[in-house]
Amino acid sequence: MILSNRNGLKNTRNMLRVFGGLNETYSCTEAEYSAGINFSARNFPALSTRLPRRKLREEADLNGMYHLNGLLTVCGRDLVYTPDDTDEMKVTLKDAVEDGRKTLVGIGTRILIFPDKLAFDTASRKVSALGAVWSGKNTSVEFAPCDAEGKVYEVSGCGPAEPDKPTDGQLFLRVEDPEKPWSSESTLEVYSKASGNWSAVVLDYCRISAKGVGTDFAAEDTVTLTGSAAEQAGQWNELDGDRIVYDAGADALRVKADPGGEWFYGRLTRTGAAVRWVSLDGSVSREFVSAEVVELERRVPDMDYLTECDNRVWGCSNKENVIYACKLGDPTNWFSYRGIAADSYAVTVGSDGAFTGAATCMGYALFFKENTLHKLYGSKPSDFQLSSLRCRGVAKGAARSLCVINETLYYLSPDGVMAWDGSIPTKVSTALDPARLRNVKSALGGALDGRYYLHLVRGSGEAQTVRLLVYDTERGLWQEEDVCSYEMAGSGGQLYLWDGKAIWAADADREENWQQAGGIEDGVSFELVSGNIGLDSPEELYLSRLTLRLEAGVKSRIEVAVSYDSGAWETLAQLTADGRRCFDVPFVPRRCGSLRLRLKGRGQLTLRSLTRTSAAAKGGILAQEVN
């Protein structure tokens, strides 16, 4: 009997060992996953669940969180500071701030708290006000010309010529205009017996004396003086306004004030609305009334977004469309203009729209609007330069998404997540659904080990959706984790998260001895839906077998399901795996155009490989029939 020859058909096997990340677009491949939660690229090229977090402490009311030599949390109206050094005790300051959302920025050992305009010093553990206001409404205030040492003089006489037989140290006011003997045109002189000459005494300062006037001010402060009535009295032409404090005591201040006015040589005293001027020799006095109240204020502007760059705090005001910088190393002074390198700085920008965020990167102070990037650079106010770039800026409500990782700035724009490295922003969220990145209500960013954490809130009420996306900046892969990030603060080696009820540490192993820390998270719930498998097979091939190579890090529960041609999910296997054990999950799929796999469970899981066996179908003869 002669049989016809039949060609043997061989199976082909492909092993997938390099897995990508989350891809929510139509281009999602079988090496990526279209939806999932709590997976990470920490064991790349394998795909593993994220590390468990460690619970640090319960906290139900959190308005802000910042790390500087320790973790500062704004809990309602209280400040709680937990130092990094476990030998130091936690500090709680009751009723230190107003209740409400805070903007925090660090400079030196201080953490600035806005809009309260306060500073918490991590060294002294004390809170102080950035600004200061003193009012002379209920006290007597005296203004008197003085020299550089703060000394106020009294003269024994005045006239057009000095006396013939003066004594050593005698003071005399030489008058230039007899009709205006007390004007600034006259000259105060002192006689020296050693030299036998009269020398001029320059009174180019003003001493302000009142009870408690200097308590909240310090030397080198710039204060705004109002209500002195000096111009009304004719003593100084422009005493009111911004003045530099050169010396400060509890009950006296010395400020710079150029001589001027027809009644310069005298003392001006204000008690309520009553104003009295007395000449230096006491022979002439004048009285009048002023409705103003004497006030001294060290002003701090109202700012919406802040950042620290080159030992200055920078901020921007939407109300004024102005960018401010504080005095060098001194966040209490914002209006110090002395013509030196340490001066404050302010510039009005010409772009339209509101500011949406501020950050520091590559040595630049950066201020964003939705379609503009303003970049400030320079070493001192005299050479500060502002350059503007029309580009995709920070989206409204996404100011806190700004985060610097490995010399690159990441943020959420109206067009998606952007990366800026000093040139032009580039989009890094092409793998994400763009519709789910638009119209956010709020966005918050954090960083840990080269990963960018992005917390997004869209909508409100029952329609509100919250996500925590994680971008591996080294590998360019996106992941998604369960939401635990309504507040975030990074220390460089740790990321602290707040889930609305408690504060967590993202990496549990780095917090073993952290101030009586709580227990590690009890298992991680995970889920993964693969991309379509089988779309790249030609018509002559079909999937005859799939094998998943899995590894359980701890005791884990795992469910494997399959969906054929986007149909309903069918459970393939449910199993419990012991820790540190590799195992295979094989199955024979039925004939279909494509399929998707779903891994779901709780514990620690790593997907090591996916082996796909393809069989050929020719003339209706299956490969299994001839092998």
Side-chain angles (χ1 to χ4, degrees):
M1 180 177 180
I2 300 175
L3 298 177
S4 61
N5 292 329
R6 302 183 66 182
N7 296 325
L9 303 179
K10 296 183 178 180
N11 292 345
T12 59
R13 299 183 65 186
N14 295 313
M15 178 177 288
L16 181 64
R17 298 185 61 188
V18 179
F19 295 94
L22 176 65
N23 190 335
E24 299 175 325
T25 68
Y26 189 75
S27 63
C28 181
T29 67
E30 59 188 33
E32 300 169 314
Y33 61 96
S34 58
I37 198 78
N38 283 335
F39 277 87
S40 74
R42 60 187 177 90
N43 289 326
F44 184 83
L47 189 60
S48 301
T49 52
R50 65 164 176 82
L51 292 172
R53 302 163 181 154
R54 181 184 290 275
K55 186 177 181 180
L56 301 183
R57 67 169 182 263
E58 299 285 341
E59 194 60 66
D61 186 13
L62 195 66
N63 290 324
M65 187 161 58
Y66 194 87
H67 188 276
L68 181 64
N69 304 323
L71 185 64
L72 177 70
T73 54
V74 184
C75 309
R77 296 172 56 88
D78 303 336
L79 294 179
V80 180
Y81 182 70
T82 308
D84 288 337
D85 189 347
T86 55
D87 294 332
E88 299 183 24
M89 298 298 294
K90 182 172 70 174
V91 177
T92 302
L93 302 177
K94 294 289 187 180
D95 297 323
V97 297
E98 296 295 327
D99 195 7
R101 180 72 63 187
K102 307 302 178 189
T103 299
L104 307 175
V105 63
I107 178 172
T109 62
R110 288 177 286 185
I111 301 174
L112 309 190
I113 306 170
F114 276 75
D116 299 66
K117 300 178 182 178
L118 299 174
F120 174 79
D121 195 316
T122 60
S124 65
R125 311 289 200 267
K126 294 181 179 179
V127 174
S128 59
L130 296 177
V133 179
W134 180 88
S135 175
K137 183 177 181 179
N138 300 316
T139 188
S140 178
V141 187
E142 180 187 84
F143 302 89
C146 67
D147 60 13
E149 296 180 355
K151 184 178 180 180
V152 176
Y153 296 88
E154 295 182 359
V155 299
S156 57
C158 62
E162 295 88 350
D164 295 333
K165 297 181 179 181
T167 60
D168 188 43
Q170 181 178 344
L171 293 169
F172 182 79
L173 185 64
R174 182 165 57 83
V175 177
E176 299 293 339
D177 187 350
E179 295 183 359
K180 303 175 182 178
W182 308 107
S183 74
S184 59
E185 296 178 358
S186 300
T187 304
L188 179 64
E189 298 178 335
V190 60
Y191 181 75
S192 173
K193 185 177 180 181
S195 63
N197 295 319
W198 291 87
S199 58
V201 178
V202 180
L203 304 181
D204 53 356
Y205 293 86
C206 173
R207 191 184 73 177
I208 306 173
S209 302
K211 186 175 180 180
V213 68
T215 303
D216 296 327
F217 302 103
E220 304 302 324
D221 279 353
T222 297
V223 298
T224 302
L225 171 63
T226 57
S228 68
E231 187 173 358
Q232 183 179 354
Q235 189 164 14
W236 283 279
N237 293 331
E238 297 178 350
L239 183 61
D240 284 8
D242 291 340
R243 294 290 160 190
I244 300 171
V245 177
Y246 284 87
D247 189 24
D251 299 325
L253 288 177
R254 178 168 59 89
V255 300
K256 185 74 173 180
D258 294 331
E262 297 182 2
W263 303 92
F264 175 72
Y265 290 100
R267 301 190 185 199
L268 184 68
T269 304
R270 285 209 57 171
T271 306
V275 183
R276 187 169 187 265
W277 181 91
V278 179
S279 62
L280 290 185
D281 65 352
S283 62
V284 180
S285 64
R286 301 162 57 237
E287 295 183 357
F288 48 93
V289 175
S290 175
E292 294 184 277
V293 177
V294 179
E295 276 193 358
L296 286 165
E297 181 181 6
R298 186 177 63 234
R299 294 183 293 149
V300 176
D302 296 326
M303 293 173 289
D304 298 282
Y305 307 108
L306 299 114
T307 185
E308 187 275 333
C309 181
D310 293 338
N311 203 21
R312 296 178 189 267
V313 177
W314 298 74
C316 59
S317 169
N318 277 323
K319 183 178 179 181
E320 302 172 283
N321 210 27
V322 171
I323 296 174
Y324 291 97
C326 74
K327 185 180 176 182
L328 185 66
D330 184 3
T332 64
N333 280 278
W334 294 81
F335 298 93
S336 179
Y337 305 114
R338 302 170 58 185
I340 60 177
D343 276 353
S344 307
Y345 179 77
V347 61
T348 302
V349 300
S351 59
D352 60 338
F355 288 105
T356 54
T360 298
C361 184
M362 305 291 288
Y364 302 115
L366 307 173
F367 293 89
F368 289 88
K369 296 186 177 183
E370 283 199 310
N371 57 2
T372 307
L373 165 60
H374 295 290
K375 180 170 65 174
L376 275 152
Y377 54 95
S379 59
K380 56 183 180 294
S382 61
D383 63 13
F384 281 155
Q385 296 186 49
L386 173 69
S387 64
S388 300
L389 175 67
R390 299 286 290 186
C391 63
R392 290 167 289 184
V394 175
K396 183 180 179 181
R400 296 197 296 165
S401 70
L402 289 154
C403 189
V404 177
I405 305 174
N406 298 334
E407 300 82 44
T408 301
L409 178 65
Y410 296 87
Y411 62 90
L412 179 67
S413 78
D415 188 43
V417 182
M418 312 299 293
W420 183 84
D421 60 1
S423 55
I424 302 295
T426 57
K427 189 174 180 178
V428 296
S429 59
T430 54
L432 302 178
D433 183 358
R436 302 180 69 184
L437 299 177
R438 300 191 189 108
N439 303 318
V440 298
K441 185 177 179 181
S442 66
L444 174 63
L448 178 64
D449 294 341
R451 299 190 299 273
Y452 174 52
Y453 289 74
L454 180 61
H455 173 92
L456 300 174
V457 179
R458 298 179 70 245
S460 59
E462 295 182 358
Q464 186 178 86
T465 58
V466 185
R467 304 180 72 189
L468 175 58
L469 298 170
V470 182
Y471 180 62
D472 190 314
T473 61
E474 295 180 1
R475 302 179 178 94
L477 301 178
W478 283 98
Q479 318 286 344
E480 183 171 356
E481 297 184 4
D482 55 338
V483 176
C484 182
S485 50
Y486 291 95
E487 287 288 344
M488 286 191 281
S491 65
Q494 184 60 279
L495 181 66
Y496 301 100
L497 309 104
W498 179 65
D499 64 356
K501 298 179 181 179
I503 298 176
W504 297 78
D507 190 338
D509 293 337
R510 305 181 190 185
E511 298 291 329
E512 291 184 1
N513 300 316
W514 195 91
Q515 298 288 334
Q516 302 176 353
I520 298 178
E521 194 175 12
D522 183 19
V524 176
S525 298
F526 58 85
E527 183 174 354
L528 177 149
V529 178
S530 72
N532 284 307
I533 300 174
L535 289 178
D536 59 346
S537 299
E539 295 181 358
E540 294 81 6
L541 295 176
Y542 71 96
L543 291 173
S544 63
R545 185 184 182 90
L546 283 174
T547 303
L548 298 175
R549 182 70 169 173
L550 304 175
E551 179 181 347
V554 296
K555 187 175 182 179
S556 305
R557 299 192 310 272
I558 306 164
E559 176 188 284
V560 183
V562 63
S563 170
Y564 297 104
D565 295 325
S566 301
W569 290 103
E570 302 176 14
T571 301
L572 297 174
Q574 290 180 331
L575 51 106
T576 300
D578 296 330
R580 308 308 302 175
R581 172 174 170 261
C582 290
F583 55 95
D584 292 336
V585 180
F587 78 99
V588 177
R590 66 169 180 255
R591 294 291 291 267
C592 61
S594 65
L595 61 84
R596 293 179 299 156
L597 296 176
R598 184 181 70 186
L599 297 177
K600 188 177 181 180
R602 186 175 181 83
Q604 287 287 312
L605 184 70
T606 298
L607 176 58
R608 289 294 183 183
S609 66
L610 172 63
T611 303
R612 189 178 71 176
T613 303
S614 297
K618 188 173 182 180
I621 303 175
L622 301 183
Q624 290 90 332
E625 297 177 356
V626 297
N627 285 342

